[in-house]
Every structure is written in C-alpha cells, then in structure tokens.
C-alpha cells in the first residue's frame, strides 16, 4: 500500500465522528459470520467501526491495518467495551499472521486504496494465503459508473454535520486519471461558528482506484477465487448498470 495516501485518516477521532454511525454492512456480515468458526479477519479495519460491533455479538475478531493511529483508536474503544480483539499493524499486501480464517472481509471501500495491479494482487494473494479452502472473502468497492468517475472539477457540496459548537460543511474536488483508473479527491471541511462565520478550513487528499466488473472477475480468478455473488449494496440487491457500489462474496477454490 501507499503510505502517503492517508491524509484522510490522520485524525482518527474525526474519522469516527463522520463515519462511526455507518453500519450498513453489519447485518450482511452477521449472516455470514453465523456460519463461520474460528477467528474472523477484518482487513483495513481502521478504528474498528465494524470489527467492534461484530465482536460485541460474540464472535472472535482480528483487525489488521497499516495505520498505527487508527489502530490506537480501535484499541481504546475495544478496551472501553471490554472486548478482546487482536489489533495487528501490518500491510495487507504482505500479511504474515499465525492463523487462517474461514471468513475474511474488508469494508468501507478499502479495496480502492490498493492503487496498482501489484498492490491488488498482493492483497488478494495475502487473503488467499490466510483463508481456509472454501473460505469466504467479502469486500465492497465503488462501481465505476460514468456519474462516479466523470464528476465536475468544481467544488461539490457533500454534507453538513455538527462538531461540538461548530457546523461543518463538507465538499469535494475530484479529478479522474483514466489511464491509471484513479480518482484523486480533495475533501474540504469548513468549520463555521453559531453565527455562520468561517473559523477554520481543512483540506485532505486521497486517491482511490476503480476496477471494472470484468476486470475484477479476472483478477479474482487469477488469485484463486470464484465469485459466489455480486450485489449493489449490503442488502443482497443484485448489481445493475445503475449501481453505485459492488459487494463481492468470493470463495477460495485453490491456493496460489
């Protein structure tokens, strides 16, 4: 993974404020976890947004991330909750764990952080190595639709939320590099006081790789997986031309 692509995660507390309430993946993962024995592996786990709720349901979890700050936040949260979760600082393209799992997952569109063919193959080969045969790998990634990729280069409003005494307006700038299939985003957060006056502005950058469906089929097969299902969301809705996301359920069919 690219260690210089983490600006968006350098404030784990802010990340949680903006994202912790998103748990759309949880019911879907609980369904698969109910048929699984042993430790479930959460890759690119961040602050444990999904890891911790799964562990609270009684499952054994291990979370892997390359970002030490995010893991520190995850450790604090799980300690407060009284949960025994293994938090492991490793590069997901070069996993070296002392166990195999029957269920590995990666949420939050983390697959898009692997920007090159080599990084994608590294991730998938690492997952293959740490999955039992017939084990399941579940992950989501944004659908490379024209609407998603060909966004205007002007600043686009996203959403507003409240952070203590401030109203925070969030907008984005984006540029799509078609040759490398990478979208370069700048996220702009404008902090305003109770009078609507701008008191601070923060900008962070992130780059995300997009993968087309037929391309995904090829790289999954090359890395020892069959695709059991593809959905457009975490509610088992079949993927279509108009989808905004692709959720893959993959089965390890051979070692590589």
């Amino acid at each position: 993974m690219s260690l210089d692509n983490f600006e968006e995660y350098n404030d784990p507390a802010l990340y949680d404020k903006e994202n912790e309430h998103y748990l759309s993946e949880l019911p879907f993962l609980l369904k698969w976890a109910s048929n699984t024995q042993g430790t479930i592996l959460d890759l690119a786990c961040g602050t444990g947004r999904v890891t911790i709720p799964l562990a609270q349901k009684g499952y054994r979890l291990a979370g892997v991330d390359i970002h030490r700050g995010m893991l520190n936040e995850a450790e604090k949260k799980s300690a407060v909750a009284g949960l025994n979760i293994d938090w492991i600082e490793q590069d997901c393209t070069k996993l070296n764990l002392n166990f195999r799992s029957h269920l590995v997952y990666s949420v939050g569109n983390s697959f898009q952080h692997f920007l090159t063919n080599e990084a994608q193959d590294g991730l998938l080969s690492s997952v293959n190595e740490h999955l039992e045969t017939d084990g399941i790998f579940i992950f989501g990634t944004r659908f490379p639709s024209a609407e998603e990729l060909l966004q205007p280069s002007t600043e686009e409003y996203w959403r507003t939320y409240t952070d203590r005494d401030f109203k925070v307006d969030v907008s984005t700038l984006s540029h799509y590099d078609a040759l490398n299939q990478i979208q370069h985003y700048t996220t702009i957060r404008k902090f305003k006081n109770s009078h609507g006056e701008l008191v601070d502005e923060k900008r962070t950058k992130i780059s995300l790789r997009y993968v087309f469906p037929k391309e995904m089929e090829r790289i999954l097969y090359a890395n020892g997986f069959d695709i059991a299902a593809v959905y457009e969301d975490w509610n088992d809705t079949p993927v279509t031309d108009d989808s905004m996301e692709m959720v893959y359920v993959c089965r390890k069919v051979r070692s590589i």
Side-chain angles (χ1 to χ4, degrees), residues 72-123:
N72 287 342
E73 193 71 15
E75 289 171 353
K76 293 176 187 176
K77 288 163 40 176
S78 60
V80 169
L83 298 170
N84 182 23
I85 300 173
D86 294 324
W87 301 111
I88 303 165
E89 183 181 357
Q90 284 192 19
D91 185 337
C92 291
T93 67
K94 302 173 183 177
L95 291 175
N96 183 22
L97 307 176
N98 60 3
F99 67 92
R100 285 189 174 185
S101 177
H102 291 277
L103 176 61
V104 178
Y105 69 87
S106 184
V107 294
N109 298 310
S110 296
F111 191 86
Q112 292 186 266
H113 289 76
F114 301 86
L115 301 181
T116 65
N117 293 345
E118 293 76 15
Q120 290 175 351
D121 284 337
L123 169 67

Side-chain angles (χ1 to χ4, degrees), residues 1-247:
M1 286 189 70
S2 175
L3 294 173
D4 60 356
N5 194 30
F6 286 142
E7 280 188 14
E8 191 63 26
Y9 308 112
N10 284 341
D11 187 340
L14 177 63
Y15 175 87
D16 271 351
K17 287 175 185 175
E18 295 185 347
N19 297 282
E20 196 169 35
H21 60 287
Y22 290 118
L23 288 173
S24 59
E25 311 98 332
L26 187 58
F28 186 93
L29 292 172
L30 282 170
K31 179 178 65 175
W32 284 95
S34 67
N35 298 314
T36 297
Q37 296 180 344
T39 300
I40 299 170
L41 183 57
D42 182 346
L43 296 182
C45 63
T47 63
R49 178 179 63 85
V50 175
T51 334
I52 290 172
L54 271 175
Q56 288 173 324
K57 297 294 185 179
Y59 296 101
R60 175 68 179 171
L61 269 293
V64 177
D65 205 289
I66 198 172
H67 195 289
R68 183 68 252 172
M70 298 289 273
L71 287 176
N72 287 342
E73 193 71 15
E75 289 171 353
K76 293 176 187 176
K77 288 163 40 176
S78 60
V80 169
L83 298 170
N84 182 23
I85 300 173
D86 294 324
W87 301 111
I88 303 165
E89 183 181 357
Q90 284 192 19
D91 185 337
C92 291
T93 67
K94 302 173 183 177
L95 291 175
N96 183 22
L97 307 176
N98 60 3
F99 67 92
R100 285 189 174 185
S101 177
H102 291 277
L103 176 61
V104 178
Y105 69 87
S106 184
V107 294
N109 298 310
S110 296
F111 191 86
Q112 292 186 266
H113 289 76
F114 301 86
L115 301 181
T116 65
N117 293 345
E118 293 76 15
Q120 290 175 351
D121 284 337
L123 169 67
L124 293 173
S125 63
S126 282
V127 172
N128 183 293
E129 183 178 350
H130 290 83
L131 259 183
E132 300 285 4
T133 301
D134 289 328
I136 297 295
F137 176 43
I138 297 171
F139 68 96
T141 185
R142 293 178 184 85
F143 192 93
S145 64
E147 180 182 353
E148 179 72 17
L149 300 181
L150 303 180
Q151 298 180 30
S153 57
T154 54
E155 184 175 334
E156 293 288 305
Y157 171 78
W158 181 20
R159 62 185 175 123
T160 298
Y161 67 92
T162 301
D163 180 12
R164 293 170 295 183
D165 297 327
F166 300 104
K167 185 178 76 171
V168 185
D169 292 335
V170 186
S171 57
T172 60
L173 291 167
S174 65
H175 167 70
Y176 182 55
D177 174 357
L179 286 177
N180 293 297
Q181 295 175 217
I182 293 176
Q183 186 88 285
H184 299 283
Y185 286 98
T186 299
T187 302
I188 306 163
R189 294 174 177 87
K190 297 178 180 179
F191 296 80
K192 298 179 180 179
N193 62 22
S194 58
H195 302 292
E197 300 166 333
L198 182 67
V199 296
D200 194 13
E201 179 176 308
K202 295 181 179 179
R203 295 185 176 223
T204 57
K205 294 182 179 180
I206 194 167
S207 297
L208 301 173
R209 171 80 180 266
Y210 282 76
V211 178
F212 288 83
K214 292 312 235 182
E215 180 186 10
M216 188 70 82
E217 288 180 17
R218 181 189 60 77
I219 61 176
L220 286 168
Y221 179 78
N223 283 283
F225 295 97
D226 271 355
I227 299 173
V230 188
Y231 303 110
E232 73 167 16
D233 55 29
W234 296 93
N235 298 314
D236 295 359
T237 309
V239 71
T240 71
D241 286 346
D242 299 321
S243 298
M244 299 301 293
E245 188 174 9
M246 299 181 291
V247 176

